[in-house]
Amino acid sequence: MAFTIFILRLAVCILAFPMYLLDFLGLWNWICKQWFPYFLARLTVMYNKQMESKKQELFSNLREFTGPSGKLSLLELGCGTGANFKFYPSGCQVTCVDPNPNFEKFLIKSIAQNRHLQFERFIVAAGENMHQVASGSMDVVVCTLVLCSVKNQEQILQEVCRVLRPGGAFYFMEHVADKPSTWNYFWQQVLDPVWYLLFDGCNLTRESWKALEKACFSKLKLQHLQAPLSWELVRPHIYGYAVK
């Protein structure tokens, strides 16, 4: 099986040779950073439509983690275009972090469409190093479709725990690797290298639940599901929340 996966990977990589050439020349990352926000703006509309009920379920108890100030301070990690804004409760104070500055104009549009929120600031930074965010300053951290593409999941989760106040919560919804016995997992392995390059560092085969289980949370509520999405490769999902 491993040999078959290797041969098919090689064939796919040959077909994707122009992308690899641009990457070798140092141009592909720049191209991705420019076009990916436009692609994601379209994708999140479809994703939100297909996952709306699950997102409503996920974020239904956000208010329970409101801090002593009486207002919910929320940090969205890898905020993208602001696709989650409509699911947040009224009066929520939102801080956004994303390493791609090209998302800012899409965020401004989302903020204008979600006047029920109080937008604090947009920080251009990787989630592994959010030094601009004070320790213990957030009631909630949200991360959706982000752990698939970060460089270091353990370091990200350490930063999440640092910025959360005691008793704060980390909410997540992520696509993950399918069960090893499935054909979908087979094709995830075959396509993963090209998928990673095409979709700005996204990995198809990450078992993100393992990193969450090892993180410094006192409570973890995690569920697996086959999401009702058009692309079968990303149907395996986990979602839930963890309490510091």
Side-chain angles (χ1 to χ4, degrees), residues 209-236:
W209 64 89
K210 293 183 178 180
L212 286 161
E213 289 169 351
K214 294 177 182 177
C216 59
F217 301 112
S218 62
K219 174 185 176 183
L220 175 62
K221 184 178 181 181
L222 183 152
Q223 298 182 62
H224 289 257
L225 81 150
Q226 288 291 323
L229 300 174
S230 303
W231 292 1
E232 187 171 351
L233 285 168
V234 292
R235 284 179 187 169

Side-chain angles (χ1 to χ4, degrees), residues 34-44 81 106 198-199 231:
Q34 294 295 323
W35 73 263
F36 195 66
Y38 292 93
F39 168 77
L40 200 62
R42 292 178 176 270
L43 178 68
T44 51
T81 61
F106 294 92
L198 184 60
F199 294 108
W231 292 1

Side-chain angles (χ1 to χ4, degrees), residues 137-150:
S137 62
M138 293 294 161
D139 300 315
V140 168
V141 176
V142 172
C143 175
T144 61
L145 303 182
V146 171
L147 293 179
C148 59
S149 59
V150 300

